[in-house]
Amino acid sequence: MTTVKTAIVIGGGIAGPVAALALRRAGITATVYEAYPSTTDGVGGTLALAPNGIAALRAVAADQAVTAIATPIHRTVLAVGHRRIDLPALEGVPPLRVVHRNQLHRVLHDLAAAEGVLVEHDRRLVDAQETEAGITARFADGGTATADVLVGADGIHSTVRTLIDPDAPGPRFTGLLGFEAVARHEVDVAPGTMTFAFGRRGYYLYWPEPGGGTRWGVNLPQARPLSLREARAVAPADWMRILRAAHADDDPGRDLLLTSSADELQAVGSLHIMPPLRHWHRGRMVLVGDAAHAPSNSSGQGASLAIESAVQLARCLRDLPDVRSAYAAFERLRRDRVEKVAARAARINQAKAPGPVARALLPLMMPLLVKTAMNPEKTIGPEQRYVIDWGAPVTAGRTAR
């Protein structure tokens, strides 16, 4: 039985509120400290929640509220030029769900508030000091907070990560810049169909919006990373001209971009991944979510893995008698799984902006690609069928899911 009674959770995105909800179910009072002055209105685009992510939300009774605001994807298609191939689906697995990041934040914050979780905004962590009895977080506004443990759910640019290991690597730029909008053009596919398209000069994806139109996302090859502020400092009309030129020869990419308003174009920023970390925890501090493991968005698993880790951390702190053994069990449960997902996503990411030779060979390679590398039971099967058994006890040795 744990001796941990209180927790500081740094970060109010996705992993933070889920961690706080799970910790409450584990008998630990958690307070969330978020650097932004409010929920992240307008920040970020659409993200995917895989079946394993929805299953993990069930442990904190958040699955129904989230699926209610999400769009189910029942079919996925790979496209190169005019050639389309249906990607095999997993048998007996619920559909992928897509949801706007900001809507997801709101739902998770509302659920946390309803269960008594306190969320303090405009509290940016700058340091933490550990004692034998606990840990004290220090914030940019001069305030402090003290608890038994500190959970770093503060994203890919994590401050907690640098406190745990000053030599920890930072996020790596994938060479892609993300954009998203809704086109007035209606694509000729059934609702719930997501198409992954390799255009002549870049990669894009799209699916019909339930309310009409077609939502699309573009990964634009970029020489250097841009912060979200830098990307949004460029006039949307200028970005739209660049994107329309990049996809002028693509069908339906050309029509999607031509029928989209520049004023509604959303730059979601440079796409990053986290390389493997040597240390996920030190003393009373521990990392969850993107702060520890952020695979390429090609994985479709970033948010789901963050949710899983938040739930698993709470299980370990609930069942093990001290912080050190809880953190060790947490890392043992999570590291191999998240690193395998990241490795698979990295291989996919290399194909998103193929050179001229690879682009010419893609139509010939597609059947083999689908048959082997994209065999769902061998690749995404172990990822999406994964279910955390919240009721099962965690032990210091071998641990159940």
Side-chain angles (χ1 to χ4, degrees):
M1 192 72 176
T2 185
T3 57
V4 175
K5 300 301 179 186
T6 57
I8 295 166
V9 179
I10 304 298
I14 296 172
V18 174
L21 284 166
L23 288 166
R24 278 188 66 83
R25 280 166 170 71
I28 300 168
T29 300
T31 301
V32 178
Y33 296 88
E34 167 56 49
Y36 282 97
S38 63
T39 53
T40 54
D41 293 333
V43 175
T46 302
L47 55 82
L49 287 174
N52 51 288
I54 299 297
L57 286 172
R58 196 173 304 126
V60 295
D63 54 316
Q64 294 184 16
V66 170
T67 55
I69 61 168
T71 300
I73 301 298
H74 301 280
R75 176 188 175 214
T76 54
V77 177
L78 183 67
V80 177
H82 293 287
R83 187 167 187 186
R84 305 286 190 271
I85 289 184
D86 279 81
L87 298 180
L90 289 171
E91 293 288 338
V93 174
L96 181 79
R97 310 272 177 166
V98 288
V99 62
H100 196 281
R101 183 181 295 272
N102 188 55
Q103 289 181 296
L104 181 59
H105 286 177
R106 283 185 174 277
V107 165
L108 294 177
H109 276 252
D110 289 347
L111 290 170
E115 296 206 11
V117 173
L118 179 63
V119 180
E120 294 193 15
H121 289 278
D122 209 10
R123 304 298 302 277
R124 185 174 296 277
L125 180 75
V126 293
D127 199 5
Q129 184 174 5
E130 192 170 328
T131 67
E132 289 186 7
I135 188 165
T136 297
R138 301 188 182 280
F139 300 98
D141 61 8
T144 62
T146 299
D148 294 327
V149 295
L150 186 149
V151 179
D154 49 344
I156 200 163
H157 300 290
S158 172
T159 298
V160 180
R161 185 172 63 236
T162 63
L163 295 177
I164 289 174
D165 180 6
D167 297 322
R172 291 176 183 166
F173 179 45
T174 63
L176 299 167
L177 184 62
F179 296 88
E180 184 177 310
V182 176
R184 294 186 297 276
H185 178 72
E186 303 284 351
V187 291
D188 186 21
V189 297
T193 300
M194 179 179 286
T195 302
F196 302 96
F198 290 88
R200 288 180 62 82
R201 299 179 183 86
Y203 165 87
Y204 64 105
L205 77 165
Y206 57 90
W207 65 91
E209 276 282 88
T214 303
R215 184 172 291 275
W216 56 265
V218 165
N219 289 165
L220 183 70
Q222 189 79 11
R224 70 174 185 87
L226 296 178
S227 68
L228 189 58
R229 179 175 297 179
E230 289 175 315
R232 293 188 173 183
V234 178
D238 292 338
W239 280 129
M240 188 62 86
R241 280 194 291 272
I242 294 170
L243 294 172
R244 285 172 177 167
H247 294 280
D249 299 323
D250 299 334
D251 179 21
R254 176 185 60 255
D255 293 331
L256 292 175
L257 288 157
L258 289 174
T259 60
S260 299
S261 169
D263 293 336
E264 297 176 5
L265 179 67
Q266 187 171 41
V268 297
S270 296
L271 307 181
H272 293 84
I273 60 173
M274 272 304 303
L277 300 178
R278 290 181 301 170
H279 306 291
W280 283 24
H281 54 87
R282 179 174 66 82
R284 295 178 179 270
M285 295 185 289
V286 65
L287 301 173
V288 297
D290 285 356
H293 50 76
S296 160
N297 65 331
S298 303
S299 71
Q301 283 284 354
S304 295
L305 292 179
I307 293 165
E308 283 183 2
S309 287
V311 172
Q312 290 286 35
L313 174 65
R315 282 183 69 219
C316 294
L317 285 169
R318 176 194 69 188
D319 294 342
L320 294 170
D322 59 83
V323 173
R324 182 176 180 179
S325 61
Y327 286 175
F330 166 67
E331 184 173 347
R332 187 167 61 250
L333 274 171
R334 299 303 297 157
R335 183 182 281 275
D336 184 60
R337 173 166 168 77
V338 301
E339 290 183 358
K340 284 181 178 178
V341 172
R344 179 184 68 82
R347 291 192 294 270
I348 296 172
N349 218 54
Q350 293 173 356
K352 280 192 170 181
V357 174
R359 189 185 306 118
L361 291 175
L362 267 173
L364 300 175
M365 294 168 57
M366 282 175 65
L368 181 61
L369 185 66
V370 172
K371 185 177 180 180
T372 56
M374 293 191 178
N375 182 309
E377 289 298 342
K378 291 183 178 179
T379 54
I380 62 173
E383 297 174 10
Q384 296 194 9
R385 294 188 187 280
Y386 185 89
V387 177
I388 296 170
D389 188 351
W390 174 258
V394 178
T395 63
R398 293 183 62 84
T399 51
R401 283 185 174 181

